[in-house]
Amino acid sequence: SFTEPRFLDRNIAAGFDLFHKDVNSLSSSGFKSRKTGGSLRLGVPLSENVWVHTNYTLSYDDLYEVSDLASNAVRQAAGDYLTSAVGAAISYDTRNHPRSPTRGLYFQLASDFAGVGGDVQYVRLLGEGRGYYPITEKVTFVGRAIAGHIGGWGGQDVRLLDLFYKGGETIRGFDKSGLGPRDTATGDALGGQSFWAATAEVRFP
């Protein structure tokens, strides 16, 4: 990833990302997957704490090496496809530090529209809110609420790889893909079209 915070000598953040992810989900969903591509990003401030971001992403997605015991839904989803998507987000940020905050608020609402070319068509909405409150100099209370929904358009269903798979990164203590719908016969996690979660925790060194 690369970001130029003063693009064209203006208060505009412009950047790009290149990525290649190879994920082994055999233990939780009965398949492996690859995602390779890149994105272009542009961010513009509306005020000191409010930013608007836009992006374009092109990615090649592949669901492969399906287990012989995998769910029928997984076997039917095997194969590759191209995703071309544009997105926009608005964020409000009053945190005292972007990486290790101890005080402040952060809210973001984001949307992605896939179908600008490519093989898939979906609309995805994501929202997140976080609050940080210092209990002592080194102990911080953190509250967070997140939610998302994805739906196909133009008569197309959402592909298995584009669904939400949530686990320990969403709520501590859960296995990878430990939250959400599963095949009752095989136990494979199949992803969901909607999710929401709220957590509260105390962070300390």
Side-chain angles (χ1 to χ4, degrees):
S1 297
F2 172 80
T3 301
E4 169 55 63
R6 293 286 298 175
F7 185 61
L8 298 178
D9 240 1
R10 299 183 179 182
N11 194 19
I12 297 174
F16 66 87
D17 310 295
L18 298 174
F19 53 84
H20 174 74
K21 294 194 289 185
D22 206 321
V23 181
N24 185 339
S25 301
L26 286 171
S27 62
S28 59
S29 297
F31 64 83
K32 292 183 178 180
S33 63
R34 279 188 291 254
K35 180 183 283 284
T36 305
S39 62
L40 299 173
R41 296 177 278 104
L42 196 67
V44 179
L46 296 184
S47 69
E48 182 181 356
N49 298 318
V50 180
W51 279 73
V52 171
H53 309 268
T54 60
N55 65 79
Y56 169 76
T57 302
L58 184 67
S59 67
Y60 169 78
D61 302 89
D62 186 18
L63 191 156
Y64 71 102
E65 206 167 306
V66 175
S67 167
D68 293 335
L69 302 176
S71 162
N72 284 334
V74 173
R75 280 184 272 176
Q76 291 172 8
D80 54 26
Y81 58 93
L82 192 68
T83 300
S84 176
V86 294
I90 184 168
S91 62
Y92 172 78
D93 192 352
T94 63
R95 295 173 297 176
N96 59 346
H97 192 282
R99 295 198 178 273
S100 303
T102 58
R103 183 189 301 273
L105 299 171
Y106 175 81
F107 297 98
Q108 185 177 69
L109 183 63
S111 64
D112 293 299
F113 177 85
V116 190
D119 303 317
V120 296
Q121 296 173 312
Y122 65 71
V123 176
R124 179 171 54 202
L125 299 173
L126 294 166
E128 179 176 10
R130 281 179 267 155
Y132 301 85
Y133 180 78
I135 299 174
T136 69
E137 185 179 345
K138 293 186 176 181
V139 179
T140 304
F141 173 81
V142 184
R144 182 183 66 157
I146 56 175
H149 178 76
I150 186 170
W153 64 274
Q156 189 173 120
D157 292 329
V158 180
R159 306 245 182 164
L160 201 73
L161 287 181
D162 296 321
L163 295 170
F164 297 112
Y165 294 84
K166 297 298 179 180
E169 81 291 341
T170 304
I171 299 180
R172 298 187 193 279
F174 280 83
D175 285 337
K176 177 183 176 183
S177 301
L179 301 171
R182 311 184 89 83
D183 186 300
T184 54
T186 65
D188 290 337
L190 301 178
Q193 282 191 263
S194 301
F195 79 94
W196 69 269
T199 60
E201 59 190 38
V202 174
R203 295 183 184 178
F204 52 90

